[in-house]
Amino acid sequence: MNGAATAAGAFARRFGSAPEGVWAAPGRVNVIGEHTDYNGGHVLPIALPRTTRAAVGRRDDGRLVLRSLQHPDADADVALPDLRPGTPPGWAGYVAGVVHQVAGSVPGGLSILVDGDVPEGAGLSSSAALACAVALAVRDLLHLDLAPGDLVDVARRAENDFVGAPTGILDQSASLLCVEGHALLLDTRDRSSEQVPFDLTAAGLALLVLDTGTTHDHAASGYGDRRRECEEAAARLGVGLLREVPDVAALDVLADGSAEGDRLHRRARHVLTEEDRVHRVVSVLRSGADPRSIGPLLTEGHASLREDFAVSVPLLDACVEAAVAAGAHGARMVGGGFGGSAIALVDAGAVDAVTAAVADRFARESAAAPRVLSAVPSAGARRLA
Ligand code: GLA
């Protein structure tokens, strides 16, 4: 049974009638451009083949009734006027955060059944996939006049304002705007974007996602600290966003000999060098040169996230090190950091060897072997049925 039929069937069993439609939105990995989005820089994500599906139907009792096949013990049933941050809690908050924003347009309530296969807590944006699937569903079902960029904001606000996770727009943009066979080059300052062809299979390559199984939690982790550090660095440099700093040399004034100055200097240096790496990766992909040559830029990006931005963890470092030692062209942690997944660019014929080498390294670190997915650049959010 396909994803739409499974979600529709589960909806019918839960709510006693067929849904009015089923929508899907994917998780993402970012090829390069980490922690640049809230600094006004560029990002280059691809959508994963893994999606979250939302089967949706209208109801007439003024309630939002939610069920997730991944959280069968955490149904939610809330009157629309009672929606507020924290109500309902947990996974349902991402859905409620979207519905809350359009509650004035919801005639009598909504029933929503969620199913999906984006791993949670792996840094692959399962939360954005959920919010985006629901945002697209309510847009279509309620005939709301929302352009794709507006949907990005609806989904982001659900996370930022309702759930309290201070994300940028990377994840929601990737989930809503990505196109199969392409990476999305997005300028997060003016929101312009370009689809950059990224055909790994034709090049005999695979982009592995290695989920370390260590969890991350943006709301409670150092993500917010990094944002504040970037804002402080920008303020000291007299710019609104770090993106506006012309070059790395202009950051020297931050290093005033104090520990804090040194820290802000390193944080800002990551943002500027990462922005440069995005452009270097994009020029390789645009030029039609062998995509293997982006590998070292990925590994360089990891070193910068580890040393300058300090968002990696030892298991992610071990993962990257082992993958590269086993022949990956490049590897790096992805997402916000403090756990989650790494990516490794490998020859199709080397997938097994690299996977085995990483598993072996993890065993030596007394960690369970990572879950491995193949990141084929896939389609963004869409209606399935
Ligand atoms: C998380 C956030 C994104 C982005 C990345 C880091 O995934 O949700 O907005 O900041 O971290 O690049």
Side-chain angles (χ1 to χ4, degrees):
M1 203 168 357
N2 67 30
T6 303
F11 182 101
R13 282 192 296 283
R14 170 65 180 81
F15 296 109
S17 61
E20 292 177 76
V22 182
W23 290 260
R28 63 96 189 91
V29 287
N30 197 11
V31 178
I32 195 80
E34 221 66 89
H35 289 276
T36 49
D37 64 346
Y38 52 86
N39 289 298
H42 287 78
V43 292
L44 189 72
I46 60 169
L48 293 174
R50 305 288 190 107
T51 62
T52 298
R53 277 85 63 184
V56 186
R58 279 169 285 194
R59 46 193 302 136
D60 55 17
D61 59 359
R63 304 189 74 79
L64 176 65
V65 184
L66 308 176
R67 180 170 181 75
S68 163
L69 298 188
Q70 282 65 53
H71 300 273
D73 300 325
D75 285 10
D77 182 345
V78 186
L80 286 176
D82 293 341
L83 295 178
R84 58 181 55 88
T87 307
W91 74 272
Y94 295 93
V95 179
V98 169
V99 174
H100 180 63
Q101 294 174 63
V102 299
S105 312
V106 180
L110 291 169
S111 300
I112 305 181
L113 181 294
V114 172
D115 184 23
D117 55 10
V118 185
E120 291 184 16
L124 302 177
S125 292
S126 61
S127 52
L130 174 57
C132 291
V134 173
L136 194 63
V138 295
R139 198 269 314 260
D140 288 357
L141 207 52
L142 307 175
H143 307 292
L144 304 175
D145 185 19
L146 295 171
D150 301 326
L151 290 175
V152 168
D153 287 323
V154 167
R156 181 190 53 78
R157 281 195 295 265
E159 294 207 41
N160 293 179
D161 304 341
F162 207 84
V163 176
T167 70
I169 59 166
L170 162 65
D171 311 337
Q172 301 81 4
S173 303
S175 189
L176 284 157
L177 307 178
C178 275
V179 165
E180 194 178 340
H182 294 75
L184 173 78
L185 174 64
L186 173 72
D187 180 333
T188 63
R189 185 170 56 173
D190 68 9
R191 301 285 194 100
S192 59
S193 64
E194 177 191 331
Q195 302 290 346
V196 182
F198 192 37
D199 189 345
L200 293 161
T201 316
L205 285 168
L207 189 64
L208 297 182
V209 177
L210 301 145
D211 173 9
T212 63
T214 52
T215 50
H216 73 107
D217 182 350
H218 291 144
S221 74
Y223 185 86
D225 294 340
R226 293 297 173 277
R227 288 195 70 141
R228 279 188 294 278
E229 288 166 347
C230 288
E231 281 160 21
E232 175 64 21
R236 290 190 187 190
L237 291 160
V239 293
L241 293 163
L242 286 179
R243 155 85 182 274
E244 288 152 29
V245 178
D247 51 36
V248 172
L251 300 175
D252 286 351
V253 292
L254 289 171
D256 58 4
S258 70
E260 204 202 349
D262 177 57
R263 190 169 59 242
L264 296 180
H265 181 253
R266 284 185 293 121
R267 304 297 186 252
R269 185 168 59 190
H270 165 73
V271 174
L272 264 66
T273 59
E274 184 77 350
E275 175 72 6
D276 183 54
R277 280 184 288 275
V278 176
H279 296 294
R280 283 154 71 201
V281 166
V282 168
S283 20
V284 170
L285 297 182
R286 275 196 195 124
S287 73
D290 187 343
R292 283 167 184 78
S293 53
I294 71 170
L297 292 166
L298 305 187
T299 311
E300 208 179 277
H302 183 77
S304 178
L305 287 161
R306 183 187 64 219
E307 299 300 324
D308 278 353
F309 218 64
V311 290
S312 189
V313 293
L315 208 50
L316 281 168
D317 297 339
C319 190
V320 166
E321 214 178 272
V324 172
H329 298 290
R332 65 176 201 85
M333 55 149 281
V334 288
F338 306 101
S341 300
I343 52 171
L345 185 68
V346 301
D347 286 330
V351 167
D352 291 346
V354 171
T355 306
V358 175
D360 190 49
R361 174 68 187 269
F362 274 40
R364 279 187 278 128
E365 308 278 341
S366 305
R371 175 166 37 181
V372 184
L373 318 174
S374 187
V376 183
S378 300
R382 62 221 176 254
R383 186 173 190 156
L384 296 180

